[in-house]
Amino acid sequence: MAQLLQHLINGLAAGTIYALVALGYTMVYGVLKLINFAHGDVMMVGVYMGYATALGLGRQAQSSLWGVALIFAAAMLGCALLGFFIERFAYRPLREKPRLTALITAIGISFALSYGFQLDLGFKLPLPGGHELSLALPGASPRAFPEIIRPTEWLIIGDRDVVIWNWQVISLLIALGLMLVLQYLVYQTRFGRAMRAVSWDHRVAALMGIPTDRVIALTFMLSSALAAGAGLLYAIKDTSVSPLMGLYVGLKAFVAAVIGGIGNVPGAVVGGLVLGLVEEFVVGYAASTWRDAVAFGFLILVLLVKPGGLFGRVAAEKV
Amino acid sequence: MRRLVPMLLAALAALAAGCEKKTQPAPSGESGAPTATAGQAAGSAAPEGADTILLGEVGALTGGQATFGISTRNGVDLALKEANAAGGVKGKKVAVRVYDDQSKPEEAALAVTRLITQDKVVLILGDVASSNSLAMAEKAQAANVPMITPSSTNPAVTEKGENIFRVCFIDPFQGFVMAKFAHDNLKLNKVAVLQDNKSAYSIGLADVFTRKFTEMGGKVTGTESYSQGDTDYRAQLTAIKKTQPDGIYVPGYYSEVGVIARQARELGLKVPLMGGDGWDSEKLFELGGSAIEGSYFSNHYSPDNPDPRVQKFIADYKAAYGGVPDALAALGYDAARVAVEALKRAPDTSSASLREAIAQTKDFPGVAGTVSLDEKRNAVKSAVVLKVVDGKATYVTTISP
């Protein structure tokens, strides 16, 4: 019983991260019908931005609320900027081209980021006033992410049979909070209405006076900022960060988004949590070798039974 | 005007190709031989004609095992610098061309093929990870080029054929060492095993440990597995916790072990972790933090060894690359020196006579123990057990075969 409960907690913690990353896929897909395969790698870049900020702040500031807020803000803003540039230079020029073209550039961006970040390059930029800004790519080896939220046990059941940590609760709350904010944004605001209009048909939306380019750019920035937030929660959970982490988490989150019904906000969250729990139980009660096979098998099953995903609607293609 | 565009494009393409060539063959022949660069520019020019003997090295310079490859490269580099400073071999300088295999077996196989067919090297050094060395050994054996792996411990590597050698002990011995240590020194009775399912090395160690530990009267309470690159091991550790072991054997690589230690402590598993030489990296202490304290692993060498030869190596290494050399650097150094010795003893530098010379290596004084090759081309030597204390691996005991 204790073991089951612990598995449940582990699975929810892992699923939360998948859910947050899946939200980014779902948003971009919802608006552009584009699977942004670079999304996981944007998350990775966000993690390294947070890492650099945390190191810059030093040990002292890290466990303070302001320090943590600053680390999240820096990573999310940095990633929003990165998302803007990716959209502007990799996707916008291809918007009127067949969808496959944009998918290929997305994969290209993904590899450029994950392999570029493995390079061991350091260079110094001279700044006015005798200062120097040293920039360095992180190199290939995994690194330990600093403990920006000091881990504390919130709930211990029995003789440490089940342990719940503060960051697990915090992550889950943040994920649910972000989901609600997104839901509100998409369905209750002008920007959300514009997003949905662009998603329906961006040419017609443009004719109606909606600044489609701006809406799409903002969507990318929002989804990239979300990715950074998710990445930081992931780094807090698993402590080891490496340039290839984005490929792995990104793929899993993509599966989660499809399970939930891609383009659907609550679906992404449920898909993420379901995937996290399924994986946890497979590893805990069967064998870890089965994990990916079961996860992808589950995806196939969902697509066979409900082709639009758990929450999705199958839209009839207009001919 | 119409012609101009394709012409410009062609010019651009040529430029791009030029750039590519310049940056491609990575760090290569910087091993103190000034002629190495000349040889490099000439591409696949036969090294016999020049006054350079060209060796090849394949290692993980990027990817999950990058610190292994970089340490090994430094060790090899140091050995060749010393050999060249002492006058080289047969009046020639020794250089090495290094290719990165990105910690992937398929890249290792490609790199080895390139070294043999294109660069025409006489001997190959590498890799650290057994999975990569297995891919390399196949190609080297088929081409009849001798290969020395500095630190691949999986038995299957040298079983690929008579051209494949190693200067380290093999997995069955390492598994035995930890089983013996757990049973005799730590007095453990119930141990759980957590192995890396994607690595031949990890599975090999886990199998031997399980067999030997059971033979000694201990009990293995359960075997769980993970895949290289995972970062969440809570499911496996929760299952292990239920079996209430006195210790956990984790024969994986440092990149995963550090995180495993943290998550084990987080779930309330306080028993010691044990492992093999895959733990040997400075990164282990960074990734594991305080969670890895009090854990044990078997290794090839300890920098605490007072032997003057070892201490001189450590001092030279520190001066050249900074930092204390790990076992992989020491084994890389030994492997390159065994190769140089063989080159000196061989009547000529053909691969065939080189192979014979390496096979006769006996009582060679390496910094990571004395190297004597047995008839299966494996080095027979003892292992040390190290304990993590205050973020450092400290010597505990030596266990002989």
Side-chain angles (χ1 to χ4, degrees):
Chain A
M1 185 58 206
Q3 201 194 351
L4 178 78
L5 205 57
Q6 186 67 57
H7 278 313
L8 206 67
I9 292 161
N10 298 344
L12 278 178
T16 304
I17 312 288
Y18 291 155
L20 274 173
V21 184
L23 280 174
Y25 276 107
T26 270
M27 275 176 65
V28 169
Y29 183 83
V31 172
L32 269 188
K33 300 284 175 286
L34 163 73
I35 308 283
N36 179 16
F37 270 118
H39 190 64
D41 301 285
V42 171
M43 178 200 91
M44 179 273 296
V45 176
V47 169
Y48 277 103
M49 285 174 174
Y51 179 86
T53 317
L55 289 196
L57 287 177
R59 276 258 156 240
Q60 284 304 311
Q62 280 171 25
S63 283
S64 76
L65 189 61
W66 285 114
V68 175
L70 197 63
I71 291 167
F72 269 84
M76 290 173 88
L77 281 176
C79 267
L81 211 62
L82 177 70
F84 173 80
F85 280 114
I86 292 178
E87 195 275 329
R88 180 66 191 79
F89 295 108
Y91 300 149
R92 191 180 296 180
L94 300 169
R95 197 165 296 153
E96 302 304 326
K97 298 276 184 321
R99 241 168 240 156
L100 191 62
T101 322
L103 186 74
I104 294 166
T105 23
I107 295 173
I109 297 274
S110 160
F111 282 120
L113 288 177
S114 56
Y115 286 93
F117 264 65
Q118 287 196 50
L119 298 175
D120 232 336
L121 292 178
F123 40 94
K124 291 191 162 67
L125 284 180
L127 290 183
H131 291 288
E132 239 176 17
L133 180 68
S134 65
L135 296 169
L137 286 178
S141 322
R143 284 163 185 243
F145 196 77
E147 285 177 350
I148 58 173
I149 295 180
R150 187 157 291 153
T152 326
E153 292 155 5
W154 267 12
L155 188 64
I156 302 168
I157 301 173
D159 181 25
R160 295 183 58 89
D161 289 331
V162 179
V163 186
I164 298 178
W165 293 74
N166 56 351
W167 50 262
Q168 287 170 329
V169 182
I170 294 172
S171 298
L172 191 64
L173 289 180
I174 292 182
L176 292 176
L178 282 173
M179 187 193 98
L180 290 178
V181 169
L182 261 191
Q183 191 74 354
Y184 171 79
L185 217 63
V186 173
Y187 288 101
Q188 310 288 333
T189 63
R190 269 171 68 92
F191 169 63
R193 204 181 313 149
M195 256 171 88
R196 281 179 290 142
V198 172
S199 144
W200 191 258
D201 188 326
H202 73 263
R203 283 185 210 89
V204 176
L207 290 177
M208 294 294 139
I210 293 172
T212 44
D213 278 348
R214 203 187 305 159
V215 170
I216 290 171
L218 271 173
T219 309
F220 261 91
M221 291 169 75
L222 198 60
S223 99
S224 302
L226 260 181
L232 288 179
L233 293 176
Y234 176 87
I236 291 169
K237 176 169 95 77
D238 284 356
T239 62
S240 165
V241 299
S242 72
L244 288 178
M245 64 191 275
L247 287 176
Y248 176 80
V249 182
L251 186 64
K252 285 298 168 58
F254 170 64
V255 170
V258 175
I259 287 177
I262 192 150
N264 182 300
V265 171
V269 175
V270 173
L273 294 179
V274 166
L275 186 68
L277 286 171
V278 166
E279 286 194 357
E280 177 76 19
F281 284 119
V282 170
V283 178
Y285 290 111
S288 74
T289 358
W290 283 77
R291 186 185 56 192
D292 290 356
V294 171
F296 288 105
F298 186 68
L299 171 72
I300 293 170
L301 191 76
V302 168
L303 290 181
L304 281 177
V305 178
K306 251 186 139 283
L310 291 177
F311 285 67
R313 260 162 300 180
V314 181
E317 196 82 16
K318 272 178 289 183
V319 193
Chain B
M1 192 56 199
R2 249 198 205 156
R3 292 248 171 96
L4 198 64
V5 178
M7 265 169 69
L8 261 174
L9 277 178
L12 266 175
L15 257 174
C19 292
E20 211 170 89
K21 230 176 224 157
K22 230 180 264 169
T23 48
Q24 235 174 21
S28 64
E30 32 177 39
S31 308
T35 42
T37 24
Q40 197 175 316
S44 55
E48 285 95 300
D51 52 353
T52 308
I53 303 173
L54 188 63
L55 311 182
E57 183 189 341
V58 180
L61 304 180
T62 58
Q65 299 138 14
T67 71
F68 292 167
I70 292 163
S71 287
T72 309
R73 189 187 67 189
N74 290 346
V76 169
D77 194 39
L78 186 63
L80 295 188
K81 267 183 193 151
E82 282 175 8
N84 286 329
V89 178
K90 296 185 167 54
K92 295 180 182 178
K93 299 278 181 198
V94 185
V96 64
R97 183 153 303 168
V98 189
Y99 289 128
D100 176 17
D101 64 24
Q102 302 168 19
S103 309
K104 292 178 197 156
E106 59 273 21
E107 293 291 333
L110 275 178
V112 133
T113 309
R114 200 165 155 201
L115 282 172
I116 293 169
T117 56
Q118 222 170 307
D119 303 322
K120 309 232 184 299
V121 299
V122 294
L123 177 139
I124 290 153
L125 297 167
D127 184 353
V128 174
S130 295
S131 310
N132 300 345
S133 289
L134 280 169
M136 289 166 60
E138 195 141 324
K139 305 281 178 196
Q141 177 60 29
N144 262 322
V145 174
M147 163 177 151
I148 306 177
T149 165
S151 34
S152 285
T153 45
N154 190 294
V157 174
T158 46
E159 282 164 13
K160 286 280 179 194
E162 51 166 23
N163 285 302
I164 318 299
F165 302 88
R166 80 176 103 220
V167 294
C168 55
F169 48 64
I170 54 175
D171 286 342
F173 176 61
Q174 239 192 135
F176 158 80
V177 164
M178 210 20 100
K180 187 161 188 269
F181 181 76
H183 187 264
D184 295 354
N185 300 49
L186 298 178
K187 312 265 181 242
L188 303 182
N189 294 316
K190 296 188 324 183
V191 175
V193 174
L194 182 55
Q195 66 183 17
D196 176 354
N197 248 349
K198 266 195 197 161
S199 134
Y201 160 79
S202 182
I203 295 171
L205 252 69
D207 286 351
V208 178
F209 176 88
T210 305
R211 203 172 62 236
K212 294 289 176 190
F213 192 66
T214 318
E215 277 172 22
M216 289 171 195
K219 186 171 180 284
V220 172
T221 59
T223 303
E224 295 287 328
S225 52
Y226 61 91
S227 303
Q228 220 168 83
D230 286 359
T231 51
D232 191 336
Y233 312 91
R234 293 178 178 87
Q236 294 92 323
L237 290 166
T238 304
I240 283 180
K241 190 182 168 188
K242 200 182 158 219
T243 67
Q244 299 183 317
D246 309 325
I248 310 173
Y249 188 54
V250 196
Y253 293 127
Y254 66 92
S255 40
E256 280 89 20
V257 170
V259 184
I260 289 173
R262 275 185 198 246
Q263 293 177 4
R265 304 301 177 234
E266 173 195 312
L267 291 167
L269 272 162
K270 292 199 191 83
V271 298
L273 304 185
M274 296 168 284
D277 58 337
W279 285 31
D280 188 31
S281 164
E282 288 289 313
K283 284 267 162 194
L284 177 75
F285 313 118
E286 180 195 326
L287 291 168
S290 59
I292 199 77
E293 286 287 313
S295 298
Y296 300 89
F297 64 99
S298 54
N299 205 356
H300 304 269
Y301 115 122
S302 159
D304 299 343
N305 190 337
D307 186 329
R309 206 173 52 234
V310 177
Q311 290 307 323
K312 180 182 178 300
F313 163 70
I314 293 171
D316 290 347
Y317 187 95
K318 266 187 190 160
Y321 313 102
V324 178
D326 52 19
L328 302 154
L331 286 167
Y333 180 77
D334 282 357
R337 281 176 61 228
V338 164
V340 169
E341 279 303 311
L343 275 172
K344 283 184 184 158
R345 276 188 281 117
D348 56 77
T349 57
S350 73
S351 290
S353 40
L354 199 51
R355 199 214 80 79
E356 289 308 316
I358 300 170
Q360 282 152 19
T361 303
K362 206 162 174 54
D363 298 327
F364 179 81
V367 290
T370 307
V371 181
S372 293
L373 294 176
D374 65 10
E375 70 282 3
K376 287 180 177 159
R377 300 167 300 282
N378 297 322
V380 183
K381 50 209 277 204
S382 50
V384 294
V385 176
L386 305 175
K387 182 182 186 181
V388 182
V389 181
D390 295 331
K392 260 176 58 193
T394 44
Y395 175 80
V396 180
T397 181
T398 302
I399 294 181
S400 299

